[in-house]
Amino acid sequence: MAGLMQMPNGQMIQPQIVLLREGTDTSQGKGQLISNINACMAVVDSVRTTLGPRGLDKLVHDDRGTTTISNDGATIMKLLDIVHPAAKSLVDIAKSQDSEVGDGTTTVVILAGEFLRECKPFVEDGVHPQNIIKHFREAAQMAIARVKSLSVSIEGKDAAEKRELLKKCAMTTLSSKLVGGEKEFFGQMCVDAVMHLDQDLLDPRMIGVKKVMGGSMRESFLVDGVAFKKTFSYAGFEQQPKYFDNPTVLALNLELELKSEKDNAEVRLTDPAKYQEIVDAEWNIIYDKLAKCVDSGAKVILSRLAIGDLATQYFADRGVFCAGRVAEEDLLRVTKSTGARIQTTVNDLTPDQMGTCEVFEEKQVGNERFNLFRGCPASKTCTLVLRGGAEQFIEEAARSLNDAIEIVRRAVKNAAIVPGGGAIDMELSRHLRDHARGIAGKGQLFINAFARALEIIPRQLCDNSGFDATDVLNKLRQKHALGDGSGVNFGVDVNTGGVIDAYEAFIWEPALVKINAIGAACEATCLILSIDETVRNPRSEGADGQPIHAPGGRGGRGGGESQGRGARSR
């Protein structure tokens, strides 16, 4: 009789066990899984039309009034305020694809959505999710292995040929962007930018991007060094020289201006003449610093901190250019390219602490003035100056070039490419279908479903281009089914609505993009399939509608009633 409770009428009952707080929402079983799949498919539909060279853009307007126009999958997924807990996993895979590879963010989201769409009938028919997960992971591993076997290495080429191959990869990425009309111009610019970097590190932070409104896209240019916007300046700035050949560059992290005392110091004087000595001492300190800067032989002086009006006029009188309050990332790139070392004192300056460049000049770009350092001997950095008619357009151009630069970086490090235009996806689909025929049991259906899902990429390319997807996919299946393997590289021709040898047409993408996309999409699908219950805890509210914390809990910020350490007890 242990564990039973007696009611007033003498009846013995089992007491109710309360595990979750009242109002907790629990959803479980097949219905919950299908609900998660439907939510993910709804998210995918919002980015589906942005895929490919004929993809459309999305305009996202947030509550702060910021307007963003983009067709970059990762950018759109970040801006969408997705509240469904399962659908947020699609945002995560788009972010991971963006950080890991730089391109293919729309592809990975669409693939994940299509995998889930193919799973839905099996789940509705009562198939256990673990069976689907097992065979999907097997199919993903086979697909990745097939991508590696089909990839073509661009290693061993001479420098000119390799640059041309990298340019083709960049142009493939840019073809689906807002700047696709000038993909050859910007593709060359992206390759040049990456080739200016340290080829061992390929640090993307060493590529600066400056945006100047006005002008056309073709007025954008690449600086083989550093360019940054003119900083705040005082009256004497216009008297300074704005052009130097082979100048010596001094980089400082030091204020060159008169500063008031930070502490309230009291000085008692018995002789009024002593007061002038104290004032003169302050002036002597700043003049001593300025004289040491000029004596060092530097012609261009940059500082991360302020350079005051006195110092500006002093340098102007002696034919020296100075700029204060230079942004930290700009100063870092200047030191990397010129070989200068940032100094925190002007005492004992030596020539090896200075940097140099072939040409320093101040140049007018649109309504802005830029300081340019060209022909740097230790040049491991460069700067892209982008022009355009509208702010949103320049922002999207910067995002597009970032994707192209990332792709070129990856192609330099992992020099393996595969044909794009849906060619590799159709070949993977054919390969998995052939393999599935040799499997006895339900696994054949699941691997066939995975193969069918891969066809969404060429199908969506056709839909976004306004062509009949069924007709084009039938042509592609016929090409890829040829026994001699001559149709392996055929993909969608978005210009004519037919099929084209993507490799011969230079529609290339790094193999790493496709490998990462398939792996991430499969993992996201398996994650969502493995969820069979969602528990949503309610927020307990006090009388004033504000959240309160459970008794005995640690309490959060702003509770108002808890006493901090050292608080006076009441």
Side-chain angles (χ1 to χ4, degrees):
M1 298 294 287
L4 295 179
M5 184 172 68
Q6 187 172 11
M7 296 291 288
N9 60 5
Q11 183 181 359
M12 303 298 289
I13 64 166
Q14 187 79 25
Q16 183 181 7
I17 299 174
V18 180
L19 288 178
L20 301 174
R21 186 185 297 164
E22 184 180 353
T24 300
D25 177 31
T26 60
S27 306
Q28 57 185 344
K30 186 195 300 183
Q32 173 60 30
L33 182 50
I34 292 173
S35 169
N36 288 344
I37 292 174
N38 289 338
C40 292
M41 284 161 55
V43 172
V44 172
D45 288 340
S46 66
V47 297
R48 187 183 295 278
T49 56
T50 66
L51 183 72
R54 299 288 182 268
L56 302 176
D57 298 339
K58 303 293 180 187
L59 189 151
V60 183
H61 183 74
D62 63 17
D63 53 0
R64 292 174 296 179
T66 306
T67 302
T68 306
I69 301 173
S70 180
N71 73 347
D72 179 54
T75 303
I76 296 168
M77 295 298 284
K78 288 175 194 170
L79 293 173
L80 292 178
D81 193 11
I82 296 173
V83 295
H84 194 281
K88 283 184 178 178
S89 62
L90 295 182
V91 181
D92 294 337
I93 62 170
K95 287 181 180 176
S96 73
Q97 179 81 3
D98 192 36
S99 61
E100 186 68 22
V101 186
D103 194 27
T105 51
T106 306
T107 300
V108 72
V109 173
I110 290 176
L111 278 177
E114 199 61 22
F115 289 155
L116 290 168
R117 190 189 299 275
E118 292 292 340
C119 292
K120 189 177 174 184
F122 298 128
V123 174
E124 289 171 337
D125 291 344
V127 175
H128 196 284
Q130 285 301 334
N131 288 339
I132 304 174
I133 290 171
K134 174 187 172 186
H135 288 95
F136 264 40
R137 283 192 169 139
E138 179 188 339
Q141 288 173 358
M142 288 181 56
I144 290 170
R146 181 65 175 164
V147 171
K148 290 178 179 176
S149 67
L150 289 172
S151 63
V152 178
S153 176
I154 59 174
E155 282 288 358
K157 312 282 186 185
D158 60 51
E161 191 176 357
K162 188 170 183 179
R163 287 176 81 99
E164 192 62 29
L165 297 175
L166 292 173
K167 181 182 171 183
K168 297 289 192 299
C169 290
M171 287 168 60
T172 302
T173 300
L174 291 170
S175 64
S176 64
K177 308 294 184 185
L178 202 60
V179 294
E182 300 286 354
K183 61 183 180 182
E184 187 157 346
F185 174 75
F186 284 112
Q188 185 63 54
M189 191 181 287
C190 291
V191 174
D192 290 344
V194 173
M195 288 305 173
H196 273 104
L197 300 180
D198 185 328
Q199 295 301 295
D200 293 327
L201 297 176
L202 291 176
D203 186 356
R205 292 175 300 174
M206 290 295 106
I207 300 177
V209 178
K210 304 299 175 184
K211 305 159 195 168
V212 185
M213 280 187 61
S216 67
M217 286 189 295
R218 277 199 165 266
E219 290 179 32
S220 304
F221 59 92
L222 176 71
V223 178
D224 58 337
V226 183
F228 58 84
K229 206 175 290 186
K230 183 181 85 72
T231 58
F232 175 81
S233 58
Y234 292 95
F237 178 79
E238 295 303 335
Q239 300 171 27
Q240 294 179 353
K242 303 296 190 296
Y243 184 93
F244 290 102
D245 284 317
N246 299 310
T248 305
V249 181
L250 173 61
L252 299 173
N253 187 14
L254 182 69
E255 287 179 320
L256 294 178
E257 64 177 348
L258 287 168
K259 299 293 289 180
S260 59
E261 291 295 333
K262 293 182 180 178
D263 301 319
N264 292 326
E266 181 179 328
V267 180
R268 297 195 178 192
L269 302 174
T270 55
D271 183 0
K274 296 288 185 183
Y275 175 73
Q276 189 59 42
E277 293 181 16
I278 294 173
V279 174
D280 290 343
E282 289 184 326
W283 285 88
N284 290 337
I285 289 171
I286 183 70
Y287 274 121
D288 181 54
K289 288 181 180 178
L290 300 179
K292 286 178 178 175
C293 291
V294 174
D295 293 343
S296 68
K299 289 298 181 183
V300 178
I301 299 175
L302 306 176
S303 177
R304 204 167 73 81
L305 302 177
I307 295 180
D309 51 355
L310 171 69
T312 303
Q313 187 62 56
Y314 185 93
F315 290 137
D317 294 341
R318 287 154 182 79
V320 176
F321 176 90
C322 70
R325 296 191 179 95
V326 179
E328 186 174 2
E329 62 270 17
D330 289 333
L331 193 61
L332 178 64
R333 291 192 302 113
V334 168
T335 57
K336 287 278 187 182
S337 59
T338 62
R341 301 179 198 167
I342 297 178
Q343 303 298 310
T344 55
T345 178
V346 292
N347 295 322
D348 302 321
L349 292 175
T350 56
D352 63 314
Q353 295 166 348
M354 310 284 188
T356 187
C357 63
E358 285 182 13
V359 175
F360 167 81
E361 63 176 327
E362 186 171 286
K363 183 178 179 182
Q364 188 82 18
V365 182
N367 291 329
E368 305 287 352
R369 285 157 70 177
F370 276 78
N371 299 323
L372 307 180
F373 295 80
R374 295 181 182 274
C376 304
S379 185
K380 303 293 182 187
T381 181
C382 59
T383 307
L384 298 169
V385 180
L386 300 181
R387 306 295 308 278
E391 184 180 351
Q392 288 95 340
F393 179 84
I394 298 178
E395 293 290 342
E396 176 61 8
R399 284 190 289 268
S400 303
L401 290 183
N402 178 64
D403 286 359
I405 286 168
E406 289 292 332
I407 284 298
V408 175
R409 284 181 62 237
R410 299 297 173 186
V412 170
K413 284 187 174 182
N414 304 283
I417 57 169
V418 292
I424 188 70
D425 305 276
M426 288 301 296
E427 178 58 25
L428 295 178
S429 178
R430 183 206 61 77
H431 177 67
L432 290 175
R433 285 178 199 271
D434 291 348
H435 174 76
R437 292 195 189 99
I439 297 176
K442 295 177 186 173
Q444 181 179 137
L445 299 174
F446 304 144
I447 291 181
N448 260 328
F450 193 97
R452 242 187 343 265
L454 289 171
E455 290 185 352
I456 187 59
I457 300 300
R459 183 186 299 279
Q460 197 62 49
L461 287 172
C462 294
D463 289 342
N464 291 352
S465 304
F467 299 123
D468 183 358
T470 305
D471 183 39
V472 176
L473 257 67
N474 285 337
K475 291 179 182 176
L476 284 175
R477 290 191 189 105
Q478 182 267 327
K479 285 287 186 184
H480 285 266
L482 295 174
D484 59 357
S486 59
V488 168
N489 295 327
F490 273 81
V492 179
D493 185 353
V494 295
N495 296 316
T496 64
V499 297
I500 189 173
D501 188 324
Y503 191 80
E504 293 294 328
F506 304 116
I507 306 171
W508 300 340
E509 56 184 342
L512 191 65
V513 174
K514 196 57 68 178
I515 290 170
N516 209 71
I518 293 172
C522 179
E523 284 304 317
T525 304
C526 295
L527 174 69
I528 291 164
L529 286 176
S530 64
I531 299 170
D532 75 331
E533 181 172 5
T534 302
V535 180
R536 182 171 297 176
N537 291 324
R539 296 175 69 183
S540 298
E541 294 184 350
D544 58 352
Q546 295 296 318
I548 61 173
H549 303 285
R554 297 179 62 181
R557 296 180 181 175
E561 295 298 320
S562 61
Q563 294 179 354
R565 186 181 294 177
R568 188 161 55 91
S569 57
R570 285 178 282 187

